[in-house]
């Protein structure tokens, strides 16, 4: 009699595999169940079913349903004489019962399973190896036995030779003297790498994906009469480049400075790969611009507190105007600090940003002593910054105790002006600083480059703060410029057209063409120019730049002169350049921090490059234009109001239906508490 041990996930599978390996059927063997399959909790301690098949080569069919011999391993119940089909049904019922037992005894099963798993790991040390086969450290071991014939179940696709012959079957029997050789296919992937330089030329980076070899080996098993041969994959990093290759590539790219060989070795030994900085340059250290350290305050400080009683507001004390004495240090000049050059990974010099020295211009009332700016007069200090250019001056303050009227004359003063009385009909105040008027302004003109504070009302007056040039005039000029710019582009298209180039007028002046385009496309242009002429005439005594009068005369010559004069396109473009320069210069001279404060306004024109605040009860039939924010705590009735940054109004309109126009820019917001 010969025995054969077969394993499977279930008893049925173990019997099937054994019969298939022996090429026998059920009637030719005697079956003994050595181990029923066992399913451990959470997969721990799983055991395959094991059966022993006893047979002889001349066995003949004796029964269609062979009997089983032996006892159940778990319960020691005898199963001698039980038919194979009945036994398999019995196993199915026992499996269901076992699952119920597992659910009720989780803790005991886990402990038992762990113990059994531990026993299996040390199987070699506690059980006889006779008749068994196993794999350890990737090597196959066999122990012969007269009672059992060890066998292997082979993984599909695995190439195996036994004693030099290729095995085609999935089962083979093995002995100690057999030479069993396993052949594995090895796959490899080359190293992928690339060197890039950063845009600032301060780093060279290596992006690398490691080269690898995929090696297969036998998976270790515990000893058994039959074992399944499986393979496991072992991935080994094997770069297909060396540090010499990387260094050569750096040299080819011109990278010669700051090479980090240790970073290169780290990149080559990395199993994950990634981005490695393998060369570093030195960044330039930019120079530090010269700076001015101010030792005094130049801006007015707001010392007033919230006061709901408007009649109690002291406008002169609302702002504290800074003052200095002769000999007082206004500022300290710190020179520029030179930067330090850097070097790129290519070894190139990288110059730093050049530090700019301050250009200090001391004007009236200030002098420069070494690195200090000192006041040489008493008065109000001014420090003006425009990039690296700094202008300093100290302006005196003029205090007029009474009214500004015919007896005092107009006041034109480059410093601050304080009037303790009224400003009467037809009088003018023109100041290069702040203007403070304690009482009322009646039919007068007030101009100041800084803020204006009026303690009383403004009646039939023209008041402007914060600009050298009237803001209305600036806006009209800007509108004219953009219209003429559109006209010039349109005329350019006409001149460049093939039809015009082939006409007899191609060498003629463009005066007629300008007037024709004006009549067809710019019908309101004449009115706009006439309005500009009127504003320039009104503001003539306040305009410092002669270009205003030049632009005004050029517009009249081109569009209104009779007979017409010949105008070239170059002349037209020079006019546009003059207009653009005036717009830019005026905008630069506007003082956004210059505000206008007053109590009430009646039939007046109020203009400010900053904010306007009407703090009394009313603003009637007045024109208000502010580049900043407008606040009216009382009624706005009649007239127009434009606030670029928005406005906050208490009440607008009236029961008599007086037209009141409120406007702001796209970014501004209009807030009205009460509308009538």
């Amino acid at each position: 009699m010969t025995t054969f041990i077969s394993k499977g996930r279930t008893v049925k599978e173990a019997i099937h595999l054994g019969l298939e390996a022996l090429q026998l059927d059920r009637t030719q063997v005697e079956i003994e169940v050595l181990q029923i399959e066992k399913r451990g909790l959470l997969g721990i301690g799983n055991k395959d079913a094991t059966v022993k098949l006893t047979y002889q080569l001349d066995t003949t069919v004796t029964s269609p349903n062979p009997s089983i011999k032996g006892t159940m391993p778990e319960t020691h119940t005898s199963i001698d004489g039980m038919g194979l089909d009945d036994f398999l049904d019995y196993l199915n019922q026992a499996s269901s019962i076992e699952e119920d037992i597992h659910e009720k005894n989780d803790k005991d099963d886990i402990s038992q399973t762990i113990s059994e798993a531990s026993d299996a790991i040390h199987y070699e040390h506690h059980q006889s190896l006779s008749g068994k086969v196993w794999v350890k450290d990737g090597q196959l071991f066999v122990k012969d036995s007269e009672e059992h014939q060890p066998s292997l179940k082979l993984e599909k696709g695995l190439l195996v030779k036994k004693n030099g012959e290729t095995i085609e079957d999935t089962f083979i029997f093995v002995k100690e003297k057999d030479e069993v050789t396993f052949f594995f296919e090895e796959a490899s992937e080359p190293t992928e790498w690339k060197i890039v330089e950063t845009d600032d030329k301060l780093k060279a980076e290596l992006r690398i994906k490691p080269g690898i070899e995929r090696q297969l080996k036998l998976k270790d098993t515990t000893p058994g009469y039959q074992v399944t041969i499986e393979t496991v994959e072992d991935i080994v990093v094997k770069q297909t480049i060396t540090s010499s290759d990387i260094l050569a590539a750096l040299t080819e790219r011109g990278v010669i400075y700051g090479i980090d060989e240790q970073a290169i070795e780290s990149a080559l030994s990395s199993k994950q790969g990634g981005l490695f900085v393998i060369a570093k340059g030195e960044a330039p250290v930019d120079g530090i611009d010269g700076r001015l350290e101010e030792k005094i305050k130049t801006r007015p400080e707001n010392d007033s507190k919230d006061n709901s009683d408007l009649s109690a507001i002291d406008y002169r004390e609302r702002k504290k105007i800074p003052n200095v004495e002769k000999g007082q240090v206004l500022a300290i000049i710190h020179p520029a600090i030179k930067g330090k050059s850097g070097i790129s990974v290519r070894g190139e010099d990288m110059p730093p940003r050049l530090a700019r020295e301050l250009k200090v211009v001391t004007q009236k009332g200030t002098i420069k002593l070494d690195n200090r700016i000192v006041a040489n007069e008493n008065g109000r200090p001014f420090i003006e910054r425009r990039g690296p250019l700094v202008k300093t001056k100290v302006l005196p303050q003029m205090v007029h105790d009474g009214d500004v009227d015919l007896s005092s004359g107009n006041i034109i003063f480059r410093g601050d002006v304080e009037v303790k009385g009224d400003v009467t009909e037809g009088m003018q105040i023109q100041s290069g600083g702040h203007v403070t008027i304690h009482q009322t302004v009646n039919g007068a003109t007030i101009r100041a480059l800084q803020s204006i504070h009026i303690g009383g009302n403004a009646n039939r007056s023209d008041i402007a703060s914060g600009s050298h040039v009237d803001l209305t005039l600036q806006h009209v000029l800007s509108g004219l410029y953009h219209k003429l710019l559109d006209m010039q582009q349109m005329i350019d298209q006409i001149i460049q057209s093939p039809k015009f180039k082939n006409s007899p007028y191609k060498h003629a002046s463009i005066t007629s063409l300008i007037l024709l385009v004006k009549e067809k496309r710019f019908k309101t242009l004449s009115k706009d120019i006439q309005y500009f002429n009127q504003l320039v005439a009104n503001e003539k005594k306040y305009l410092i730049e002669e270009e205003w009068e030049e632009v005004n005369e050029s517009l009249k010559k081109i569009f209104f002169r009779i007979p017409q004069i010949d105008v070239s396109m170059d002349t037209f473009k020079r006019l546009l350049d003059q207009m653009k320069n005036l717009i830019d210069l005026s905008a630069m001279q506007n003082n956004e921090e210059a505000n206008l404060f007053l109590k009430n306004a009646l039939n007046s024109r109020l203009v400010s490059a900053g904010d306007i605040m009407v703090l009394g009860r009313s603003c009637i039939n007045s024109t208000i234009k502010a580049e900043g924010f407008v606040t009216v705590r009382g009624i706005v009735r009649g007239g127009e109001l434009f606030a670029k940054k928005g406005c906050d109004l208490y009440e607008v309109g009236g029961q008599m239906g007086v037209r009141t126009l409120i406007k702001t820019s796209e970014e501004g917001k209009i807030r009205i508490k009460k509308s009538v």
Side-chain angles (χ1 to χ4, degrees), residues 439-497:
Q439 302 299 325
T440 300
V441 179
N442 293 304
T445 300
I446 312 295
R447 297 292 175 86
L449 296 184
Q450 303 296 327
S451 296
I452 297 176
H453 300 260
I454 301 174
N457 303 328
N459 303 318
R460 308 180 320 282
S461 297
D462 189 345
I463 303 170
S465 67
S467 61
H468 286 270
V469 179
D470 183 79
L471 291 175
T472 302
L473 180 57
Q474 293 183 42
H475 293 160
V476 172
L477 177 64
S478 179
L480 273 177
Y481 169 75
H482 287 97
K483 286 186 178 181
L484 294 183
L485 186 63
D486 291 343
M487 177 182 284
Q488 179 241 316
Q489 293 172 351
M490 189 176 298
I491 292 174
D492 277 341
Q493 292 178 357
I494 294 173
I495 292 174
Q496 296 299 323
S497 67

Side-chain angles (χ1 to χ4, degrees), residues 142-180:
V142 181
K143 191 72 174 177
D144 289 343
S145 169
E146 295 181 358
E147 298 180 355
H148 298 289
Q149 179 64 52
S151 63
L152 303 177
K153 180 183 177 183
L154 303 178
E155 188 179 60
K156 187 176 181 180
L158 184 62
L159 179 60
V160 182
K161 286 188 177 182
K162 176 182 173 184
N163 301 324
E165 295 184 1
T166 301
I167 303 300
E168 302 292 343
D169 296 333
T170 56
F171 281 90
I172 59 171
F173 295 104
V174 289
K175 298 179 180 179
E176 290 182 24
K177 66 179 182 178
D178 290 336
E179 182 179 342
V180 181

Side-chain angles (χ1 to χ4, degrees), residues 186-464:
E186 295 184 354
S188 63
E189 297 178 8
T191 304
E192 297 179 12
W193 61 291
K194 183 180 181 181
I195 295 175
V196 295
E197 294 176 55
T198 55
D199 293 339
D200 58 9
K201 299 182 181 180
L202 290 174
K203 291 180 184 178
E205 298 173 333
L206 172 64
R207 189 178 296 278
I208 186 170
K209 180 181 178 183
I212 59 172
E213 281 190 353
R214 301 180 184 275
Q215 300 176 352
L216 296 177
K217 67 177 184 179
L218 296 180
K219 182 180 179 181
D220 289 355
T221 67
T222 56
Y225 298 117
Q226 180 192 89
V227 297
T228 300
I229 298 298
E230 296 177 330
T231 59
V232 292
E233 185 179 65
D234 194 11
I235 297 178
V236 179
V237 174
K238 189 172 184 181
Q239 306 287 14
T240 55
I241 60 168
T242 64
S243 58
S244 298
D245 296 325
I246 296 173
L247 291 171
L250 288 172
T251 302
E252 184 178 350
R253 294 180 64 95
V255 177
I256 59 174
Y257 182 83
I259 296 174
D260 188 344
E261 295 189 9
Q262 185 175 355
I264 294 175
E265 293 299 331
S266 298
L268 292 175
S269 61
S270 171
K271 293 183 179 181
Q272 292 78 27
L275 190 66
F276 297 84
V277 178
I278 57 174
K280 290 182 180 179
E282 294 183 13
V285 179
D286 290 339
I288 300 175
D289 292 339
R291 64 185 180 88
L292 191 73
E293 180 186 356
E294 296 185 13
K295 307 301 288 185
I296 48 90
K297 294 180 179 179
T298 58
R299 296 184 179 182
E301 294 181 343
N302 192 345
D303 285 347
S304 65
K305 299 180 180 180
D306 291 338
N307 193 335
S308 58
D309 185 3
L310 300 179
S311 63
I313 295 177
D314 186 341
Y315 288 88
R316 184 182 63 178
E317 300 299 330
R318 184 178 177 84
K319 295 281 186 178
K320 183 178 180 181
I321 307 299
N323 286 278
V324 294
E325 297 179 354
K326 186 176 181 178
Q328 187 172 348
V329 176
L330 305 184
I332 296 176
I333 302 170
H334 294 276
I337 299 176
K338 188 178 180 181
K340 180 183 177 182
S341 295
I343 185 169
S344 72
V345 291
R346 293 177 176 266
E348 301 165 339
D349 183 65
M350 302 182 72
R353 184 184 69 82
L354 294 177
R356 297 186 299 178
E357 292 286 0
L358 282 180
K359 183 179 179 181
V360 179
V361 179
T362 55
Q363 298 178 324
K364 181 175 176 59
T366 59
I367 58 173
K368 181 180 176 184
L369 298 175
D370 297 327
N371 67 330
R372 298 177 301 165
I373 299 174
V374 180
N376 63 354
E377 289 184 10
N378 296 335
R380 180 177 178 185
F382 288 88
I383 298 177
E384 181 182 0
R385 300 169 183 256
R386 294 189 185 278
L389 176 63
V390 176
K391 294 181 180 181
T392 64
K393 58 186 175 183
V394 173
L395 298 181
Q397 290 180 290
M398 175 181 178
V399 178
H400 185 75
D401 288 329
D403 297 338
V404 176
D405 53 20
L406 292 176
S407 61
S408 67
N410 296 329
I411 296 177
I412 299 176
F413 192 67
R414 63 174 140 188
D416 293 344
V417 175
E418 181 179 0
V419 177
K420 295 187 176 181
D422 297 329
V423 182
T424 62
E425 187 79 27
M427 304 309 296
Q428 296 179 8
I429 295 178
Q430 187 173 347
S431 167
H434 292 260
V435 171
T436 302
I437 300 170
H438 289 225
Q439 302 299 325
T440 300
V441 179
N442 293 304
T445 300
I446 312 295
R447 297 292 175 86
L449 296 184
Q450 303 296 327
S451 296
I452 297 176
H453 300 260
I454 301 174
N457 303 328
N459 303 318
R460 308 180 320 282
S461 297
D462 189 345
I463 303 170

Side-chain angles (χ1 to χ4, degrees), residues 97 101 204 392 463 559 636:
I97 296 172
I101 294 174
T392 64
I463 303 170
F559 292 98
V636 179

